[in-house]
């Protein structure tokens, strides 16, 4: 066997990813509040860029709609779970996390565009919140990762009550966005799963005579 200097690369890398994920999610939260403040001061931009069902010229609004809210209570309700779920998902890698969010926004937005009642306007980050919740629930099982399974089970125990939000129980709440966001998160866990890394050969051991 060969010995080298004891390195600190892995712990440093984990800390770096955690700092990056936390910074990204806090910046996202600040952006949501700045947009809410701008909307309050300058008129209802959320009315312009929310999703109006089955209008072809509204289809691209599925992207800005995920960042706009109907008032302070709306953005406040989404901020904390978005930051928590987003951090837990982004700490595994920011590039893949952005891909996960894009899948969720597209699936949730298209679901709203196709199924929401006519004459309604839908906006808010709750579709992303439900999508990240679903992603965290199944990611560990899809990738067979014990730590991620533990994270998913913990998220379910602490926040599982939000699943009631996929049911049409409250007027004025887009259960369609919640439901399709959840579906988008589950799909993203499968589509963007990590491929198993090849195990590195052991150092200092020659080839087996049976290989």
């Amino acid at each position: 066997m060969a010995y080298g200097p004891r390195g600190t690369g892995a712990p440093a890398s984990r800390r770096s990813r955690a700092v990056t994920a936390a910074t990204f999610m806090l910046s996202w939260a600040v952006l949501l509040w700045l947009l809410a403040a701008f909307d309050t001061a300058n008129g209802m931009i959320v009315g312009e860029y929310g999703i109006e069902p089955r209008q072809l010229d509204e289809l691209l609004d599925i992207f800005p709609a995920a960042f706009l809210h109907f008032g302070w209570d709306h953005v406040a309700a989404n901020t904390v779970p978005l930051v928590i779920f987003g951090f837990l998902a982004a700490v595994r890698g920011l590039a893949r996390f952005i891909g996960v969010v894009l899948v969720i926004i597209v699936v949730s937005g298209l679901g709203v565009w196709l199924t929401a009642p006519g004459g309604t306007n839908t906006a808010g980050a709750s579709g992303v919140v439900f999508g990240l919740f679903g992603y965290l629930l199944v990611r560990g099982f899809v990738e067979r990762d014990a730590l991620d399974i533990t994270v998913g089970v913990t998220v379910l125990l602490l926040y599982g009550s939000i699943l009631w939000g996929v049911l049409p129980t409250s007027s004025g709440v887009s259960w369609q966005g919640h439901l399709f966001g959840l579906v988008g998160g589950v799909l993203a866990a499968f589509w963007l799963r990590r491929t198993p890394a090849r195990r590195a050969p052991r150092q200092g051991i020659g080839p087996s005579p049976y290989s």
Side-chain angles (χ1 to χ4, degrees):
M1 290 185 179
Y3 294 95
R6 185 172 56 184
T8 58
S13 176
R14 287 194 293 268
R15 286 194 298 270
S16 176
R17 288 198 303 268
V19 170
T20 300
T23 302
F24 186 86
M25 293 312 305
L26 291 175
S27 300
W28 188 344
V30 169
L31 174 63
L32 296 186
W33 282 85
L34 289 175
L35 288 172
F38 182 84
D39 186 63
T40 300
N42 296 277
M44 295 294 287
I45 59 171
V46 66
E48 178 68 21
Y49 294 101
I51 303 170
E52 296 182 23
R54 294 170 294 284
Q55 303 293 321
L56 286 178
D57 58 345
E58 295 284 324
L59 192 53
L60 289 180
D61 287 344
I62 64 177
F63 295 102
F67 298 88
L68 301 173
H69 292 83
F70 294 100
W72 299 112
D73 290 343
H74 190 199
V75 68
N78 284 329
T79 298
V80 173
L82 177 67
V83 170
I84 293 174
F85 298 162
F87 172 79
L88 292 173
V91 77
R92 286 298 195 187
L94 194 57
R96 185 165 62 133
F97 172 72
I98 292 174
V100 168
V101 170
L102 287 175
V103 171
I104 292 169
I105 289 176
V106 170
V107 174
S108 176
L110 284 177
V112 169
W113 188 82
L114 289 169
T115 65
T120 59
N121 184 26
T122 303
S126 57
V128 177
V129 169
F130 275 78
L132 291 174
F133 178 80
Y135 174 75
L136 292 171
L137 284 187
V138 304
R139 177 183 62 180
F141 295 98
V142 171
E143 299 182 359
R144 299 180 182 180
D145 186 290
L147 179 58
D148 286 342
I149 291 173
T150 302
V151 169
V153 171
T154 302
V155 166
L156 178 62
L157 293 175
L158 294 178
Y159 294 96
S161 60
I162 74 169
L163 288 173
W164 291 108
V166 304
L167 301 176
T169 56
S170 301
S171 61
V173 176
S174 177
W175 62 270
Q176 297 94 341
H178 298 171
L179 175 61
F180 285 100
L182 185 70
V183 171
V186 173
L187 291 176
F190 283 93
W191 291 343
L192 301 177
R193 63 184 178 271
R194 291 177 297 179
T195 56
R198 291 184 178 180
R199 294 182 179 180
R202 296 179 180 180
Q203 296 182 355
I205 299 178
S208 166
Y210 302 104
S211 60

